[in-house]
Amino acid sequence: GVVAVAPAEPPPVSSKGLELCRRPGFGRAGTRCVVKANHFLAEVADKDLTQYDVKITPEVRSRSMNRAIVAELVRLYRASDLGMRLPAYDGRSNLYTAGRLPFDAREFVIRLAVDDDGVSGATARCTCREKEYKVAIKFAAGADLRHLREFMAGRQPDEPQGALQVLDVVLREVASQRYLSVRRSFYSPDIRTPQRLGDGLQSWFGFYQSIRPTQMGLSLNIDMSSTAFVEPLPVIDFAAQIVGKDVMSRPLSDANRVRIKKALRDLKVEITHRGSLRRKYRVFGLTAQPTHELIFPIDDEMKSVVEYFTEMYGFTIKQPHLPCLLVGNQKKPNYLPMEACKIVEGQRYKKRLNEKQITSLLKVTCQRPGDKEMDIRRTVHQNGYDQDPYAKEFGINISDKLTSIEARVLPAPWLKYHDTGKESECLPRVGEWDMKNKKVVNGCIVNHWASINFSRSVQESTASGFCQELAQTCKLLGMEFNSEPAIPMYSARPEQAVQVLKHVYNAALKKLKGKELELLLVILPDNNGALYGDIKRICETELGLMSQCCLAKHVFKICKRYLANVSLKINVKMGGRNTILLDAVSRRIPLVSDIPTIIFGADVTHPETREDNSPSIAAVVASQDWPEVTKYAGLVCAQAYRQELIQDLYKTWHDPQRGTVTGGMIRELLISFRKATGQKPLRIIFYRDGISAGQFHQVLLYELDAIRKACASLEPNYQPPVTFVIVQKRHHTKLFANNHNDKSNTDKSGNILPGTVVDSKICHPTQFDFYLCSHAGIQGTSKPAHYHVLWDENNFTADEMQTLTNNLCYTYARCTRSVSVVPPVYYAHLAAFRARFYMDQDSLSVKNANRTNGSAMKTMPAVKERVKRVMFYC
């Protein structure tokens, strides 16, 4: 009884104002192959889904506590009042059933044993007291699956969030009871043995789960994940991991006390000195005095903590030189000796990891593709969706097989190098090539350079020798590079950085009789803290000087490949070009070569969650050469904390002399394109990073409007056609070779070949998106980038968009490999990351009012004009 829709019928209109670009057809280019994706087909029976509002009084903040209350309600009343229905609950205010309950509204009274920390269940002898809760359940709405089916058939434009939410909650119900839930992932120490990360942390393994509509129907995306948890150690052992073993034997220094206090603050601990009674407390600090000095009033007399624990509990404090934990109420704190406490299991670590911890976490999570696939299969098997009572209740059936998809491997593009090299053309093999026998296509000129050595371990003669080798490599690769520095090498200590940079700059200016220094080579200690950021900030925002930093370890061990890669970075920083696509030279790139085309890349990076006095930083880069599209100028700006829309794409302000003035990043980059090429862009391709599906409409409406206004501000009827593409790397789709032993279909890391593209089955039912793995794997499992074309006035075919995107990935300036995301987006990310170093931390204190009303933070120092024009962020 399904009525076919005639293709001539116009697409349905979205309630969100703009209809997103529909798929123009499927790609055909490339060599066909089969890959497997970690998507599992979900079939759903046609049932009446119903939503109910849940209100629990007194109000409970903890989701797990809410779940325990509702679970008790279902245990007591399922067979009677609930009419045998098995509801799924989201832990907040929504309850879902397959079919109606026998009532529209009812209130239940539930009694539950709760410990002092608000956790249900009789966890230990006499720690629990019974508490009474009122649970009001009230009919809210029916959630119809018909809209979901209409959406997947292309007859409804807006994704029906309600129906997807129900299915998501249903499939998460069993996992929520078994494991610890963190956003869309579940973790447990039982999934895989936790591994130590150092400083009292360990990695827990888990899985990500999400249901989504795709071309093949509904699919469940399952991926492995891991994150850091605090290791459930005795508090003394935890402290020893933070400050070292001698914490047991000697008094704490003030610095170590502060380190331990910081590490323990807000953690939950349980007491261990009272047998099976394991009361839990939250730590808010440490005492300033050691335990043996602490006294407190009890029964009208003063008693020492040491005496109290001996008399009251028969517990002898063996480490009285250590401070006590401050727990409970801050106004009337309790003292707990460190040795009488253990850290409660299952506390996720939410602060930033240090370098060592990140390295350890990456090491334990890095898996070869075959192992990753096996783990995903094992997880699906362990989750036992076929035995899941909630899935059965709601008529959901999950396949246990990964999805097989017909993919294509796009060919690598030919690259053009300078005609004077032995090899002027190059065809990359499996995503990589090298600079042997090649010269850069446009070599830069460096007449005036200087060098500074900030590393004590590197002798001046070694440092000078390294700089000479680097200059030689630059010349060998086709750059004009003066063999002699403008002034002799300068050696200095890192803390003198600001003065030394200015001194060297001015000394060179004097020596060169007013001609400016062009490049600064800097040798850094391997662990250099804030030094790198200080150098970049001073050079790029104060001196207008290009710099190239090299770590001491590379200076000692001179490697030709390293020197070649550094030379490539110097060339683009100084205005040269390393390589271009051969098709760009012969004007054969569809929808780029025919008319002047500008390609933008944009990204917004946000500070860590806890750093809400820091701004978000937006970066936009744009190609400045046509038809080559290889050179990108970059602009950065600070904007309100965690603001996702780029505020400065287009702006107007009032100037007392000139009246209304227009500006913004798009306008500035369009003008610089015209200056560089002598032509105005007649086509715009805009790649935008860092956007989730829920923000697509909002970002498109705001930023497309800004692009149009910027164009119109330059000329009344100037409206070049725009193609707006979202680039996503933060997704959980993995693609695996159909046969891991087939070497012809994998790279040397065992991953799918670079150029593998998928635009069917697991992609959007109707919109223009595709997955592209443009890079060769190095270690671990490669993740494809997901490209979603939201708006396309240039009428790209699937092949044209996929091929252009893949080919651009071979033009990344910093290495001789194809990269995993399209270079303009990669450059925008680098530029935004660089701009973090420009922000003077003292100037970032912004009142809460500023954050909430979205007004801008203190202005970021401007990048100097001569820096802006080149690829300074490389």
Side-chain angles (χ1 to χ4, degrees):
V2 179
V3 180
V5 178
E9 210 173 281
V13 177
S14 165
S15 61
K16 292 175 181 157
L18 274 184
E19 181 59 35
L20 300 187
C21 181
R22 289 169 80 84
R23 191 181 299 285
F26 295 94
R28 293 168 180 269
T31 311
R32 289 170 186 270
C33 67
V34 174
V35 296
K36 288 173 290 188
N38 59 337
H39 287 239
F40 298 83
L41 185 63
E43 292 172 314
V44 184
D46 217 347
K47 294 208 172 194
D48 286 333
L49 306 182
T50 315
Q51 180 186 347
Y52 291 86
D53 286 336
V54 174
K55 189 171 186 215
I56 297 174
T57 40
E59 192 183 344
V60 178
R61 291 263 173 96
S62 150
R63 269 194 177 194
S64 54
M65 187 62 207
N66 282 338
R67 286 184 188 285
I69 294 163
V70 171
E72 181 67 358
L73 186 154
V74 172
R75 188 182 73 77
L76 293 172
Y77 297 105
R78 185 185 175 193
S80 53
D81 299 50
L82 301 183
M84 282 312 288
R85 298 265 182 244
L86 182 62
Y89 175 52
D90 71 353
R92 290 274 185 257
S93 58
N94 296 305
L95 187 90
Y96 302 104
T97 57
R100 297 283 290 261
L101 291 172
F103 55 83
D104 279 349
R106 183 158 304 178
E107 189 170 275
F108 298 86
V109 175
I110 301 296
R111 287 181 184 82
L112 208 61
V114 178
D115 75 6
D116 286 355
D117 204 49
V119 178
S120 70
T123 51
R125 177 170 59 84
C126 74
T127 63
C128 296
R129 52 188 175 22
E130 202 168 65
K131 200 167 175 183
E132 188 174 283
Y133 296 95
K134 286 181 181 164
V135 184
I137 297 177
K138 185 180 171 190
F139 172 78
D144 197 345
L145 286 177
R146 189 172 51 85
H147 285 139
L148 190 54
R149 294 196 165 89
E150 292 283 295
F151 171 73
M152 289 191 292
R155 292 190 290 271
Q156 151 122 356
D158 298 328
E159 195 167 276
Q161 291 300 325
L164 287 170
Q165 163 90 355
V166 180
L167 301 176
D168 192 52
V169 169
V170 170
L171 289 170
R172 293 169 68 81
E173 186 71 53
V174 168
S176 298
Q177 293 165 17
R178 277 188 205 162
Y179 307 123
L180 200 126
S181 159
V182 178
R183 291 192 285 273
R184 290 196 162 275
S185 295
F186 297 96
Y187 296 97
S188 163
D190 306 326
I191 290 175
R192 220 164 100 193
T193 312
Q195 302 289 315
R196 277 200 165 170
L197 301 176
D199 289 350
L201 301 187
Q202 58 179 191
S203 62
W204 277 25
F205 295 89
F207 63 93
Y208 165 93
Q209 174 180 297
S210 170
I211 193 158
R212 63 188 59 182
T214 61
Q215 285 172 35
M216 64 179 182
L218 286 168
S219 86
L220 190 67
N221 182 201
I222 302 278
D223 193 17
M224 304 316 295
S225 59
S226 64
T227 193
F229 277 76
V230 182
E231 197 173 345
L233 294 165
V235 169
I236 284 209
D237 294 347
F238 179 79
Q241 282 220 22
I242 304 297
V243 299
K245 288 269 194 297
D246 59 1
V247 71
M248 311 284 192
S249 53
R250 64 175 66 172
L252 273 185
S253 67
D254 284 348
N256 280 346
R257 199 181 74 79
V258 169
R259 284 177 68 195
I260 294 172
K261 178 181 164 183
K262 267 181 147 176
L264 284 168
R265 189 185 290 142
D266 287 337
L267 289 183
K268 283 183 198 164
V269 295
E270 58 186 12
I271 57 170
T272 57
H273 63 287
R274 296 180 68 183
S276 59
L277 183 71
R278 306 290 285 235
R279 286 185 73 170
K280 296 187 180 104
Y281 297 92
R282 196 174 286 281
V283 179
F284 67 82
L286 289 184
T287 58
Q289 305 97 320
T291 303
H292 64 74
E293 289 180 19
L294 293 171
I295 54 170
F296 64 99
I298 184 169
D299 299 335
D300 299 327
E301 61 168 325
M302 298 305 284
K303 194 169 277 261
S304 79
V305 168
V306 174
E307 283 173 347
Y308 178 79
F309 271 79
T310 308
E311 292 168 16
M312 192 74 183
Y313 307 117
F315 182 81
T316 307
I317 295 172
K318 297 189 182 79
Q319 313 284 350
H321 66 284
L322 291 176
C324 274
L325 304 182
L326 293 169
V327 300
N329 185 331
Q330 294 205 23
K331 286 178 184 164
K332 198 184 167 193
N334 289 338
Y335 299 141
L336 281 180
M338 287 168 111
E339 64 202 84
C341 301
K342 178 179 182 280
I343 286 165
V344 172
E345 187 179 61
Q347 298 181 75
R348 190 165 77 92
Y349 185 74
K350 294 177 186 172
K351 298 173 198 162
R352 186 186 292 175
L353 298 177
N354 63 34
E355 290 296 321
K356 192 176 151 211
Q357 290 164 337
I358 291 169
T359 305
S360 304
L361 187 61
L362 289 174
K363 205 178 276 181
V364 296
T365 54
C366 182
Q367 284 181 294
R368 288 182 68 84
D371 299 334
K372 175 83 80 178
E373 188 189 325
M374 276 305 297
D375 264 6
I376 290 169
R377 286 179 190 276
R378 197 179 298 121
T379 299
V380 171
H381 179 70
Q382 279 172 351
N383 288 353
Y385 298 105
D386 54 337
Q387 301 300 313
D388 182 332
Y390 296 90
K392 277 184 178 165
E393 172 87 2
F394 285 78
I396 304 171
N397 181 40
I398 305 292
S399 164
D400 60 355
K401 290 182 173 60
L402 283 92
T403 301
S404 281
I405 310 162
E406 194 166 276
R408 292 163 290 114
V409 181
L410 301 175
W414 279 88
L415 302 176
K416 176 82 179 84
Y417 283 94
H418 201 278
D419 289 333
T420 57
K422 279 187 190 169
E423 291 177 31
S424 63
E425 292 175 7
C426 160
L427 182 63
R429 289 171 60 92
V430 197
E432 55 184 328
W433 64 103
D434 58 38
M435 288 302 294
K436 204 173 165 187
N437 299 326
K438 298 175 194 73
K439 290 189 190 298
V440 293
V441 74
N442 299 112
C444 67
I445 300 170
V446 179
N447 288 320
H448 313 304
W449 61 278
S451 56
I452 303 175
N453 175 19
F454 283 111
S455 175
R456 280 187 194 162
S457 63
V458 180
Q459 286 187 332
E460 204 162 296
S461 58
T462 311
S464 291
F466 173 81
C467 292
Q468 287 301 325
E469 288 271 2
L470 185 54
Q472 266 319 107
T473 307
C474 287
K475 282 158 73 169
L476 199 68
L477 293 179
M479 298 164 225
E480 274 186 48
F481 206 104
N482 191 339
S483 302
E484 292 305 314
I487 54 171
M489 170 167 275
Y490 202 93
S491 292
R493 293 199 306 276
E495 54 273 23
Q496 300 169 314
V498 178
Q499 305 90 300
V500 169
L501 287 166
K502 291 177 181 175
H503 170 77
V504 167
Y505 178 78
N506 290 321
L509 200 64
K510 198 172 169 186
K511 174 85 183 288
L512 296 166
K513 298 187 171 58
K515 286 181 186 160
E516 289 207 351
L517 195 60
E518 295 160 341
L519 175 68
L520 187 64
L521 301 179
V522 185
I523 292 164
L524 301 178
D526 293 336
N527 297 313
N528 56 72
L531 179 59
Y532 176 83
D534 287 343
I535 290 165
K536 294 300 179 186
R537 187 184 76 249
I538 294 157
C539 286
E540 289 159 12
T541 68
E542 293 182 31
L543 304 176
L545 175 61
M546 284 298 125
S547 58
Q548 178 58 55
C549 296
C550 301
L551 293 177
K553 62 182 178 186
H554 298 303
V555 174
F556 288 125
K557 188 185 168 192
I558 295 178
C559 156
K560 281 187 176 174
R561 182 145 196 160
Y562 173 75
L563 289 174
N565 278 348
V566 173
S567 301
L568 293 178
K569 290 172 71 166
I570 289 172
N571 190 45
V572 294
K573 284 179 186 179
M574 299 307 295
R577 260 188 309 220
N578 293 339
T579 186
I580 53 176
L581 296 168
L582 194 59
D583 278 358
V585 184
S586 54
R587 300 284 184 102
R588 282 198 306 240
I589 306 176
L591 295 171
V592 172
S593 296
D594 54 341
I595 54 173
T597 299
I598 187 168
I599 301 181
F600 284 90
D603 188 20
V604 177
T605 63
H606 303 294
E608 298 282 321
T609 334
R610 289 164 175 262
E611 293 178 18
D612 61 355
N613 64 337
S614 294
S616 290
I617 291 173
V620 181
V621 305
S623 57
Q624 299 294 292
D625 52 350
W626 180 83
E628 298 89 353
V629 290
T630 309
K631 235 186 212 184
Y632 289 82
L635 300 175
V636 288
C637 70
Q639 56 187 43
Y641 172 71
R642 299 204 81 77
Q643 167 61 262
E644 193 47 75
L645 304 172
I646 302 176
Q647 299 301 292
D648 276 6
L649 285 182
Y650 172 76
K651 57 184 181 180
T652 57
W653 65 94
H654 184 74
D655 182 275
Q657 272 76 44
R658 297 182 291 162
T660 303
V661 182
T662 56
M665 296 157 105
I666 298 285
R667 193 176 194 276
E668 195 174 325
L669 289 164
L670 289 171
I671 291 167
S672 66
F673 178 95
R674 186 163 193 170
K675 276 184 190 160
T677 64
Q679 308 189 67
K680 61 183 183 191
L682 298 178
R683 179 185 291 119
I684 292 174
I685 299 166
F686 195 93
Y687 286 102
R688 174 69 153 93
D689 191 19
I691 300 293
S692 62
Q695 300 168 309
F696 281 3
H697 278 91
Q698 188 192 11
V699 169
L700 180 62
L701 276 166
Y702 183 87
E703 296 186 3
L704 185 61
D705 182 55
I707 294 167
R708 290 198 167 133
K709 282 177 177 163
C711 292
S713 76
L714 293 166
E715 228 175 80
N717 295 316
Y718 176 49
Q719 284 301 320
V722 178
T723 297
F724 196 104
V725 188
I726 298 290
V727 186
Q728 292 170 311
K729 277 291 277 185
R730 287 187 175 179
H731 59 78
H732 288 267
T733 294
K734 300 283 191 309
L735 300 174
F736 301 103
N738 192 41
N739 176 0
H740 291 286
N741 299 318
D742 178 4
K743 297 287 181 265
S744 64
N745 273 320
T746 57
D747 61 23
K748 58 189 174 199
S749 69
N751 279 290
I752 55 173
L753 293 170
T756 302
V757 66
V758 165
D759 62 2
S760 63
K761 267 191 170 179
I762 59 167
C763 291
H764 194 280
T766 56
Q767 289 167 16
F768 188 3
D769 72 326
F770 57 93
Y771 290 94
L772 170 65
C773 181
S774 50
H775 65 300
I778 298 173
Q779 55 178 1
T781 303
S782 298
K783 185 194 274 192
H786 183 225
Y787 295 89
H788 203 125
V789 182
L790 299 192
W791 191 257
D792 182 24
E793 293 167 342
N794 290 298
N795 299 321
F796 275 89
T797 64
D799 276 335
E800 285 167 345
M801 175 50 70
Q802 291 163 13
T803 301
L804 171 65
T805 303
N806 186 55
N807 289 356
L808 287 173
C809 290
Y810 286 80
T811 64
Y812 184 61
R814 302 201 323 166
C815 59
T816 51
R817 299 177 67 90
S818 59
V819 285
S820 59
V821 289
V822 73
V825 153
Y826 211 138
Y827 295 146
H829 183 74
L830 290 176
F833 190 73
R834 172 64 54 82
R836 283 255 162 251
F837 296 129
Y838 299 161
M839 303 306 295
D840 173 14
Q841 289 307 309
D842 299 331
S843 71
L844 292 183
S845 47
V846 175
K847 291 177 184 151
N848 277 330
N850 268 9
R851 276 210 309 284
T852 49
N853 69 20
S855 67
M857 310 238 165
K858 183 165 176 183
T859 332
M860 183 191 294
V863 176
K864 293 287 181 188
E865 280 303 319
R866 74 186 256 209
V867 174
K868 262 187 212 174
R869 290 196 296 269
V870 291
M871 296 166 74
F872 65 92
Y873 41 79
C874 276

